[in-house]
Amino acid sequence: MNQIITLLSDWRLRDPYVAMLKGRILQALPDAQVIDITHYVDKFNTLQTALLMKTSYASFPEGTIHLILTNMSLNSTFSPVLLSHDGHYFIGEDNGVFHLMFGQFGLLKGLQLSENKGDTLSQMMLLAKSIKEDSLSQLTTEYAQFKRMFVELPDHEADNKQIEGHIIYIDAFNNAMTDIPTAMFEKAVQGRPFTATILSKGTWTMTKYYEGYRMLDGEMFLCSNSLGLIEVAVYQSDVAVLADLEPGDKIIIKYE
């Protein structure tokens, strides 16, 4: 079976760097199947990177290698870290992204090359090749001092019947993805009336939620997206542009 390798970065596609990386991967693993998750993470946004990777990796088969490239130092001054979780492999710089993805599961344990061999990408390729060849134990040592990155996570206050979260990502259709899991919203609200308020440059309110997109011309609503997160949308329109929404804007959902 060909090795599946995914890429997630803030590199964009205007420059040749993504293609050059794919070339390096194919030199190391000629039979690899390389899949782009996205290269349009907001520049240097570690939280956004963690959320997108955490909610998308399970769509791939176990054994997939995920390269995390956002906010990465492309030099030989650091050695990338390999973390195994849920049957998947994640390789990237320990800039807090691993803790954001999986810190809630307890102490993280990873691997790092025993010797710094070449630049960052060369080391990442060596780790990926070692996974494929089952030779990690010969080249790596344990890594446990993961950097902790504390951010304001979505919060459900059951006593106050309120959920607080943030806009985390604006997709290509200018829908505004929040960091609120669909499961959290549905478990809390349970179909009861609610009012969702977004605090941006203006104040925007919504009272309707759907499991997918609906034909509601000009009306803002909440829906669940394919990543299992609550999203703010307007049918066939650019809600983030219309409402001037940006990552970091707060959303407050109050229910009866």
Side-chain angles (χ1 to χ4, degrees):
M1 180 177 177
N2 294 345
Q3 179 65 58
I4 299 174
I5 299 178
T6 76
L7 309 177
L8 191 153
S9 81
D10 56 355
W11 292 12
R12 308 297 190 266
L13 294 174
R14 177 179 177 179
D15 303 312
Y17 307 126
V18 172
M20 292 167 66
L21 172 60
K22 290 180 179 179
R24 304 253 325 240
I25 293 172
L26 293 175
Q27 288 183 46
L29 295 168
D31 295 329
Q33 183 178 359
V34 185
I35 299 176
D36 303 293
I37 294 179
T38 182
H39 296 291
Y40 286 89
V41 173
D42 289 342
K43 294 177 182 177
F44 317 119
N45 194 318
T46 304
L47 174 60
Q48 196 177 94
T49 300
L51 185 66
L52 293 175
M53 180 59 81
K54 181 180 176 181
T55 52
S56 63
Y57 80 85
S59 297
F60 298 90
E62 289 188 10
T64 296
I65 299 171
H66 305 277
L67 302 187
I68 304 171
L69 305 159
T70 301
N71 195 21
M72 191 176 74
S73 304
L74 292 174
N75 53 49
S76 58
T77 61
F78 88 98
S79 183
V81 174
L82 165 65
L83 178 70
S84 176
H85 178 82
D86 197 22
H88 291 249
Y89 300 95
F90 303 85
I91 301 175
E93 180 173 355
D94 180 22
N95 52 20
V97 68
F98 295 106
H99 179 255
L100 288 174
M101 287 194 297
F102 304 124
Q104 71 272 31
F105 297 112
L107 183 64
L108 300 180
K109 294 181 180 180
L111 296 172
Q112 203 169 42
L113 289 173
S114 304
E115 298 180 17
N116 189 323
K117 298 184 178 181
D119 62 20
T120 300
L121 294 182
S122 295
Q123 294 181 66
M124 295 180 85
M125 296 307 99
L126 182 54
L127 285 170
K129 190 174 182 179
S130 298
I131 294 169
K132 176 70 173 178
E133 297 176 350
D134 195 23
S135 58
L136 282 173
S137 61
Q138 304 169 30
L139 298 172
T140 59
T141 56
E142 291 188 1
Y143 181 90
Q145 300 301 315
F146 283 88
K147 293 181 181 178
R148 293 174 174 266
M149 188 173 181
F150 295 97
V151 296
E152 192 174 356
L153 298 175
D155 180 48
H156 175 213
E157 299 177 10
D159 292 341
N160 295 327
K161 296 183 178 180
Q162 177 174 298
I163 300 171
E164 288 192 12
H166 295 85
I167 303 297
I168 190 68
Y169 183 70
I170 307 298
D171 70 14
F173 290 91
N174 281 310
N175 297 311
M177 186 188 306
T178 77
D179 56 1
I180 300 172
T182 298
M184 174 188 287
F185 174 86
E186 292 183 343
K187 183 177 180 181
V189 177
Q190 296 183 6
R192 292 171 289 190
F194 71 90
T195 299
T197 303
I198 299 178
L199 305 176
S200 184
K201 294 182 176 65
T203 300
W204 306 88
T205 60
M206 293 146 286
T207 59
K208 294 181 179 179
Y209 165 72
Y210 302 100
E211 293 184 355
Y213 293 98
R214 292 294 179 93
M215 295 178 62
L216 300 171
D217 290 341
E219 184 176 353
M220 293 176 65
F221 59 91
L222 300 183
C223 64
S224 176
N225 67 19
S226 57
L227 295 176
L229 297 169
I230 294 296
E231 194 166 286
V232 180
V234 173
Y235 180 71
Q236 290 190 344
S237 190
D238 300 330
V239 66
V241 175
L242 292 172
D244 203 8
L245 305 180
E246 296 180 349
D249 290 343
K250 179 174 283 190
I251 178 170
I252 301 172
I253 301 172
K254 295 186 177 182
Y255 57 92
E256 297 182 5

